Amino acid sequence: MKLSNTARFDTVCIHAGQEPDPSTGAIITPIYQTSTYVQDALGVHKGYEYGRTQNPTRAALEGNIAAIERGRAAFAFASGLAATGALMTLLQTGDHVVVTDNTYGGTYRLFERVLRKYGLDFTYVDTSDLGALEAAFTPTTKLLFLESPTNPVLRITDIAAASTLAHARNVPVVVDNTFASPYLQRPLELGADLVLHSTTKFLNGHSDSIGGILVATRDDHIEWLRFVQNAEGAILGPMDAWLVLRGTKTLPLRMERHNANAQRLAEFLASHPAVPLVHYPGLPGHPHHALAKRQMRGFGGIVSFAMGSLERARTVLNGVRLMALAESLGGVETLISHPASMTHGAVPVEMLNAMGVTDDLVRVSVGIEDVDDLLEDLSQALGRV
């Protein structure tokens, strides 16, 4: 089995980074659940010395995701936030970061409550507005941190144009690609320097693993991230790596269904008299619909909608039967959540309101169930309002 250099995306998802096990011929990468490796002699080993530094299962996943995102190397961590923390070690005291304002609440908490203590500075801006983005750069800006589509109001940033603005100032660009997945969007091909994922979400796809990964293209980033992964030790364990490898094999099939189901739910919600506002880039009325159509292969599996009041939103959240009221996203099952009090609880209310993350907003991670069952469940919950 050998993957050709011209293999297409769906084939790369299944095979990249993985060869049949040389000792048994097993077609699935084994779970190398080991902390250390026996050396043949002092200083003579098979490329593996200690489990924090190297693990064959983790290496297979890193090779797989690097190939899927068209990067040169990938580094897997214990969570998406652990990956974000490792990324920020590329910076030093006094550096400034421009950040998409509608970023994940955990990212905001890490930046504001932890990293500001160490002298990093952050400016949050609507990066879908290129004029506002350009105005946010300063002489000390050392990183542009983009999230597109954003969580949870699904704004879209023109990654190519934003990267051009940043690179003109010698500022590297990282894109949190968790919401899109590499099936829908590959930021490195659009000019970004690094890609970040919470592998917990669409890459894993089965709600049974926590992890994060960084994909890099530049030699200096690769060298440093390899060092930091070992030095800080917040590695992804072999079982979690194996679970994500299982997930990426079906990523194209799952994303096609996520996209199709989310489009149907968004259209249903947009036509429902009880729903005043729907956020979904697949709707023609979305302000970034044309950009999403050009930049992405589909519109994603996340739909958000406003209900007009917290009590109305609560009625829907408590009224669903098939959908599960839970944090997270990207699994095969449909999850429904309340961003203002769940995923974005660490963000100040005034900032949330400015971004449209109001207390009446509901977010749905649309699964791959039969869409008619999902529509029936949502319809009966909305009927309680």
Side-chain angles (χ1 to χ4, degrees), residues 31 50 106 162 227 242 287 304 310 327 341 361-362:
I31 303 167
Y50 185 59
F227 170 78
W242 186 88
S304 296
L310 174 59
E327 297 199 26
S341 66
L361 191 72
V362 175

Side-chain angles (χ1 to χ4, degrees), residues 147-277:
E147 185 177 314
S148 182
T150 63
N151 180 5
V153 298
L154 303 168
R155 293 178 187 161
I156 309 294
T157 293
D158 187 329
I159 295 171
S163 296
T164 297
L165 289 175
H167 291 158
R169 296 160 174 82
N170 295 315
V171 173
V173 179
V174 60
V175 178
D176 185 337
N177 201 30
T178 298
F179 260 40
S181 89
Y183 176 79
L184 299 183
Q185 174 177 274
R186 289 186 284 282
L188 300 180
E189 295 180 342
L190 297 169
D193 303 283
L194 297 132
V195 171
L196 168 70
H197 283 276
S198 168
T199 62
T200 310
K201 312 306 193 298
F202 288 110
L203 290 177
N204 169 258
H206 293 80
S207 302
D208 57 9
S209 170
I210 298 289
I213 202 159
L214 285 167
V215 184
T217 57
R218 286 174 33 172
D219 287 341
D220 56 339
H221 292 163
I222 291 169
E223 180 181 2
W224 179 255
L225 290 172
R226 181 174 289 117
F227 170 78
V228 165
Q229 184 189 45
N230 182 54
E232 290 191 333
I235 56 167
L236 188 68
M239 182 67 191
D240 286 299
W242 186 88
L243 288 168
V244 180
L245 272 175
R246 175 207 56 186
T248 59
K249 292 181 186 299
T250 60
L251 178 66
L253 297 174
R254 289 186 289 105
M255 291 309 301
E256 287 177 9
R257 187 63 171 267
H258 285 301
N259 286 344
N261 282 0
Q263 185 73 38
R264 286 281 304 278
L265 257 68
E267 291 170 355
F268 165 77
L269 288 164
S271 65
H272 199 287
V275 180
L277 177 65

Side-chain angles (χ1 to χ4, degrees), residues 11 24-25 140 163 252 314 345:
T11 305
T24 65
T140 60
S163 296
R314 191 194 312 276

Side-chain angles (χ1 to χ4, degrees), residues 13-32:
C13 285
I14 294 171
H15 294 290
Q18 303 158 87
E19 296 288 342
D21 179 54
S23 62
T24 65
I27 196 167
I28 297 298
T29 301
I31 303 167
Y32 287 91

Side-chain angles (χ1 to χ4, degrees), residues 277-336:
L277 177 65
V278 180
H279 300 286
Y280 187 67
L283 296 174
H286 187 282
H288 308 135
H289 174 71
L291 173 59
K293 194 171 183 179
R294 182 175 77 249
Q295 182 169 276
M296 300 168 66
R297 189 178 178 180
F299 301 111
I302 309 297
V303 179
S304 296
F305 58 98
M307 284 301 302
S309 73
L310 174 59
E311 285 309 309
R312 289 164 61 89
R314 191 194 312 276
T315 299
V316 173
L317 290 161
N318 292 341
V320 291
R321 296 168 180 162
L322 177 62
M323 299 180 184
L325 178 58
E327 297 199 26
S328 199
L329 59 102
V332 293
E333 63 287 303
T334 297
L335 304 178
I336 192 167

